[in-house]
Amino acid sequence: MMLFFGARSSGELPYFGPLMNLPKDFIDVNLALSRVPGEPRRYVQDRIRERGEAVVQLLASEETYVYICGLKGMEQGVDEAFADACRAQGLDWASLLPSMRQGGRYHVETY
């Protein structure tokens, strides 16, 4: 299981402590912090691209479910990151996405 979670800083993560204490072989936590002083802004889509190979391995599996939650403005960036990661690994996101949606394996809840 992989989790990509974005916030302005670690202080704004409601479950940061307990989340980081979960076993690494249970959940692969990827934080994207966009407002850390002295650090470049990092967003969920940046972390998806960085972890592209592992992400694509999961996307290619019939057992993988994707849940995207957050601000509506992030949808396009996440979609583009999935497309970039897939392209780099020889997978066609434009074909995979409709299949995942049809199979009930791709869910978006944004506001």
Side-chain angles (χ1 to χ4, degrees):
M1 179 171 22
M2 292 183 87
L3 170 67
F4 291 89
F5 196 103
R8 288 179 284 195
S9 68
S10 61
E12 294 183 0
L13 295 172
Y15 306 107
F16 184 71
L19 182 64
M20 299 311 290
N21 290 329
L22 291 172
K24 302 301 180 210
D25 60 346
F26 173 70
I27 186 168
D28 183 350
V29 178
N30 297 270
L31 299 178
L33 304 175
S34 62
R35 302 293 189 282
V36 177
E39 297 286 329
R41 291 184 179 186
R42 299 187 63 178
Y43 299 98
V44 166
Q45 56 266 37
D46 299 322
R47 296 292 289 146
I48 290 171
R49 286 184 180 95
E50 290 169 7
R51 300 296 314 280
E53 186 175 344
V55 168
V56 171
Q57 283 181 339
L58 288 173
L59 290 175
S61 170
E62 292 284 328
E63 296 179 9
T64 296
Y65 287 75
V66 174
Y67 298 90
I68 299 173
C69 305
L71 298 175
K72 186 140 187 82
M74 71 180 276
E75 286 182 54
Q76 181 179 353
V78 170
D79 185 65
E80 290 170 358
F82 281 146
D84 291 345
C86 286
R87 191 180 318 62
Q89 300 296 317
L91 192 63
D92 181 26
W93 178 242
S95 298
L96 181 58
L97 178 57
S99 171
M100 290 185 76
R101 282 186 171 141
Q102 183 178 6
R105 299 185 305 115
Y106 192 86
H107 305 273
V108 178
E109 290 291 331
T110 57
Y111 50 93

